[in-house]
Amino acid sequence: MTPLPGTDLAGYLRAYVTEMAFGQEEPGVVMDRYHTPDVTWHNDGVRLDRQRLIDHARPVRRTVQRCDVDVHDTLVCGDRVAARYTLHAVNRSRAVSSQVHMFGRLAPDGRLRRVDSITRPVAAPESPGPG
């Protein structure tokens, strides 16, 4: 069952990131599963629409080797959601971690219609060395 943001925000955060980074489906199919067609995502002041989000996913799929989401807090209240999580990614053997504070508005069907997020880099966890 698909974890929609309106019913399982933590599940959505993990599933969406995994499906966009490593999934076999086209990014547009994944995007539409969790977001309305008119979605707008404002990240650190940059406005991204559906197409820009899809375009961002394609190069990520070629370079990301690992991606984990540590969900710290979530809140769903009516048509509003909020989350604080840390995204850890390994991209071409370079570890990057960002803390994300996300606020969203839901459509009646539980998908996200608008996201406002603020990010800040944090120290990446130590990568396990060669075994």
Side-chain angles (χ1 to χ4, degrees), residues 22-85:
F22 304 109
Q24 299 303 310
E25 293 177 297
E26 285 295 316
V29 172
V30 176
M31 177 67 57
D32 294 343
R33 181 176 301 125
Y34 299 107
H35 308 93
T36 61
D38 62 342
V39 66
T40 56
W41 196 302
H42 302 259
N43 187 60
D44 295 332
V46 176
R47 182 186 182 279
L48 304 166
D49 63 10
R50 179 183 179 276
Q51 191 58 52
R52 285 188 69 189
L53 289 162
I54 291 168
D55 292 345
H56 173 74
R58 287 191 169 97
V60 167
R61 285 184 170 193
R62 289 191 300 269
T63 60
V64 72
Q65 297 168 333
R66 194 178 93 222
C67 196
D68 301 304
V69 177
D70 291 332
V71 179
H72 308 298
D73 297 298
T74 62
L75 178 66
V76 178
C77 183
D79 70 342
R80 296 173 188 236
V81 297
R84 184 176 62 88
Y85 62 96

Side-chain angles (χ1 to χ4, degrees), residues 78-100:
D79 70 342
R80 296 173 188 236
V81 297
R84 184 176 62 88
Y85 62 96
T86 305
L87 179 68
H88 305 283
V90 176
N91 191 350
R92 293 189 177 145
S93 301
R94 182 175 163 254
V96 176
S97 292
S98 297
Q99 188 174 67
V100 182

